[in-house]
Amino acid sequence: MLGENLDMISDGARIYLVPVGSVFGGLQGILLGGTGLRFLSVRAIIRDNGAVVFDKQISVVDGGEKLIAGLPEHLALQANAQLDAIKAPITKTAIPVLERNIVYTRPIIMGVLNVTPDSFSDGGDFLDQQEALRRARQMIAEGADIIDVGGESTRPGAKAVWEGEEWERVEPVIAALKSEAIPISIDSRHSFVMDKALGAGAHIVNDVSALTYDPDSIKVVASSDAPVILMHAQGTPQTMQEKPEYDNILLDVYDYLSERIRVCVEAGIAKERIILDPGIGFGKRVLQDNLALINNIALFHSLGCPVMLGASRKRFIEAVTNTVDAKERMPGSIAAAMLAMQQGVQVYRVHDVKETVQAARMVQGFIDAGTMDIRD
């Protein structure tokens, strides 16, 4: 039972369900739609008037019926909607220009290609067009499903780049990669760059500001048929690490992304086109917030969109492992990705493609084997 104290909460209270205790296969628990993962429990959190008034882990081996039965009606409606979203299969994201889909039968790997002089990990490595193309083709050969091209660093403290210069950096790379017939995402927060990139051959918009930085960006995406990645960030790259604060990191990020989905859908962007990114390292306390988000990233499944993790080589790995050189953080990046894979996250934005693909194939192998054991 959830307890008798819930009768006193207001009609404005909200419930948040974090699936926990994943198993590969099995017959009990909540099945994450379209996968072989089941969750045996949920962490049920209730927030009322800004304060968390309930936070407990509850068994859902019955599919969640007892959880719903113990809730006031308005919270039961919310919980039912979230459970339905978790169970509903998310099988694909369409790329109409390519006449193909991103299919979520396994983890999808997005390879990072920064054509910038100042990105935190590979700044300056791929400013030369030929080097950039060589790296892109290498990542494709290593198993990347998407190439993410960025011309402006958004690392903490990075200076803003004039959008014309940003476009000059990415244009020749996008034009050359167009013939590779692989999805290309444009990592930009500028509507001008998004629009030009989509016209030049990019297929996906990846915006660290969730289409809030540039007021015209939502119009550009709405007028296209491109998928869009909406990321949570507190502040701008120039300010985001100046004492970021949250009432509750999980619930605040969830509420923000939920609201961005609503705004985008109202602007004409179909929900089926949206991918969500909680924004590891973007306006987050280095350890407390980033680790909490990764530990509980299954929370975002209840928003009904594919989820992306962008944890590769980021500073929280240094804080845990004392690995100062970002290029030496591949093992920590893999560990974070594997934890997210066990929670059913669909997309991974990474620098170390070959290694992440191998890890993803192993995790998927365990999931598939567990599912087949049950069928036998």
Side-chain angles (χ1 to χ4, degrees):
M1 296 295 294
L2 296 183
E4 299 177 359
N5 59 332
L6 297 185
D7 294 335
M8 302 301 294
I9 65 173
S10 74
D11 290 343
R14 296 191 64 180
I15 189 168
Y16 306 79
L17 303 182
V18 185
V20 294
S22 65
V23 294
F24 302 159
L27 296 174
Q28 293 182 312
I30 299 171
L31 178 66
L32 180 63
T35 75
L37 285 176
R38 287 185 180 271
F39 295 96
L40 300 181
S41 302
V42 296
R43 180 184 173 192
I45 306 171
I46 300 174
R47 180 154 68 168
D48 192 12
N49 293 317
V52 172
V53 297
F54 184 89
D55 188 347
K56 288 184 180 178
Q57 185 167 316
I58 299 167
S59 172
V60 288
V61 294
D62 61 353
E65 293 179 6
K66 291 181 181 178
L67 166 68
I68 301 301
L71 289 171
E73 183 177 0
H74 65 292
L75 292 182
L77 289 172
Q78 295 177 33
N80 259 324
Q82 292 180 38
L83 289 172
D84 287 346
I86 292 167
K87 296 174 184 178
I90 296 177
T91 57
K92 65 183 181 181
T93 297
I95 310 288
V97 174
L98 284 178
E99 297 183 343
R100 60 181 288 189
N101 302 316
I102 300 171
V103 181
Y104 301 115
T105 53
R106 56 172 177 77
I108 298 300
I109 307 302
M110 171 188 283
V112 178
L113 185 63
N114 289 318
V115 285
T116 59
D118 54 347
S119 292
F120 79 95
S121 172
D122 54 2
D125 289 356
F126 307 114
L127 275 175
D128 178 80
Q129 180 183 345
Q130 293 307 311
E131 277 301 303
L133 293 176
R134 181 200 63 77
R135 177 56 183 155
R137 288 164 179 152
Q138 179 185 18
M139 290 191 289
I140 294 168
E142 291 174 347
D145 300 290
I146 305 166
I147 300 297
D148 189 46
V149 182
E152 179 191 37
S153 174
T154 49
R155 64 173 174 79
K159 294 181 179 180
V161 173
W162 175 54
E163 57 195 37
E165 180 179 356
E166 180 186 353
W167 173 239
E168 288 177 359
R169 292 174 179 175
V170 301
E171 187 276 332
V173 178
I174 291 172
L177 289 178
K178 184 178 179 180
S179 64
E180 299 291 333
I182 185 173
I184 304 165
S185 60
I186 176 64
D187 180 0
S188 180
R189 53 188 180 147
H190 295 116
S191 62
F192 171 81
V193 177
M194 295 176 190
D195 189 39
K196 298 285 281 186
L198 291 173
H203 311 102
I204 302 166
V205 171
N206 180 15
D207 183 2
V208 298
S209 79
L211 303 180
T212 64
Y213 180 80
D214 183 332
D216 291 328
S217 60
I218 196 166
K219 300 174 187 176
V220 168
V221 176
S223 65
S224 75
D225 56 10
V228 60
I229 300 167
L230 304 177
M231 195 194 80
H232 172 275
Q234 188 179 93
T236 66
Q238 293 75 39
T239 65
M240 63 188 183
Q241 291 309 119
E242 296 176 3
K243 297 182 179 180
E245 294 183 2
Y246 297 89
D247 291 331
N248 182 294
I249 182 63
L250 295 178
L251 312 190
D252 290 356
V253 172
Y254 183 98
D255 286 349
Y256 174 87
L257 292 175
S258 178
E259 176 64 9
R260 293 311 299 160
I261 293 171
R262 185 192 67 78
V263 170
C264 288
V265 170
E266 287 186 356
I269 301 171
K271 189 174 181 180
E272 291 75 21
R273 293 165 56 190
I274 296 173
I275 299 169
L276 303 175
D277 180 351
I280 303 300
F282 281 78
K284 311 297 192 297
R285 289 167 290 190
V286 174
L287 281 180
Q288 180 178 348
D289 293 339
N290 291 317
L291 297 185
L293 284 168
I294 297 172
N295 273 337
N296 298 278
I297 199 167
L299 165 68
F300 301 100
H301 290 311
S302 64
L303 288 170
C305 298
V307 179
M308 185 172 89
L309 176 70
S312 179
R313 297 185 181 180
K314 290 188 174 175
R315 193 158 67 91
F316 76 94
I317 300 171
E318 175 189 351
V320 173
T321 66
N322 198 32
T323 307
V324 176
D325 186 347
K327 292 182 179 179
E328 296 298 320
R329 298 176 193 161
M330 181 270 291
S333 304
I334 296 292
M338 291 187 70
L339 181 58
M341 289 173 196
Q342 293 175 59
Q343 298 179 68
V345 168
Q346 289 94 346
V347 187
Y348 299 82
R349 183 181 183 274
V350 304
H351 299 83
D352 302 292
V353 170
K354 179 180 178 181
E355 294 83 357
T356 309
V357 166
Q358 184 178 108
R361 287 175 178 170
M362 286 303 304
V363 173
Q364 191 61 48
F366 292 133
I367 295 171
D368 292 345
T371 304
M372 287 188 290
D373 284 345
I374 296 301
R375 289 174 182 170
D376 291 342

